[in-house]
Amino acid sequence: MLTDLPPVSFLQLIGLTGAALYMMNYALLTLRMTTSDSASYFLMNLAASTLVLVSLYEVFSAASFAIQVFWIAVSLMGIFRTLPRTPAPRRVRSDRLRPLV
């Protein structure tokens, strides 16, 4: 019965929230409500993996730890890739300069 289930701890709730974010992000991607190159996609994956990683403090799993660290690294790379880039200042070659006379 459902009443025989042990209570859910705070850290388990954090992990379940992370899992829900993973599933929601994947559903949004599948339904084409987000794209895999958007900052929001990477931010949601970063949040999900961080929450699941925090939940491992209570019951550690090396495999889950490795997956979460991988997702955090990939998400951070994706976030930095989506940041706007400022163009490098243009250099003017001195042999192309004309006198102002």
Side-chain angles (χ1 to χ4, degrees):
M1 296 195 114
L2 291 177
T3 56
D4 296 334
L5 294 174
V8 177
S9 72
F10 180 69
L11 287 175
Q12 287 173 335
L13 190 59
I14 288 174
L16 288 170
T17 303
L21 283 175
Y22 273 134
M23 292 182 275
M24 185 170 64
N25 207 22
Y26 188 67
L28 290 171
L29 185 64
T30 301
L31 297 171
R32 296 185 179 165
M33 297 175 78
T34 190
T35 60
S36 63
D37 59 349
S38 67
S40 61
Y41 174 79
F42 293 115
L43 286 169
M44 195 176 289
N45 273 336
L46 178 63
S49 56
T50 302
L51 290 172
V52 173
L53 186 65
V54 167
S55 76
L56 293 178
Y57 181 76
E58 187 171 55
V59 179
F60 184 77
S61 165
S64 184
F65 178 81
I67 291 169
Q68 303 320 311
V69 169
F70 170 80
W71 274 112
I72 288 170
V74 170
S75 296
L76 289 172
M77 285 188 288
I79 290 167
F80 286 118
R81 190 183 60 122
T82 61
L83 292 175
R85 298 177 194 202
T86 56
R90 290 181 50 165
R91 290 187 177 176
V92 179
R93 290 180 24 188
S94 61
D95 60 331
R96 292 190 179 182
L97 293 177
R98 290 183 253 163
L100 296 174
V101 181

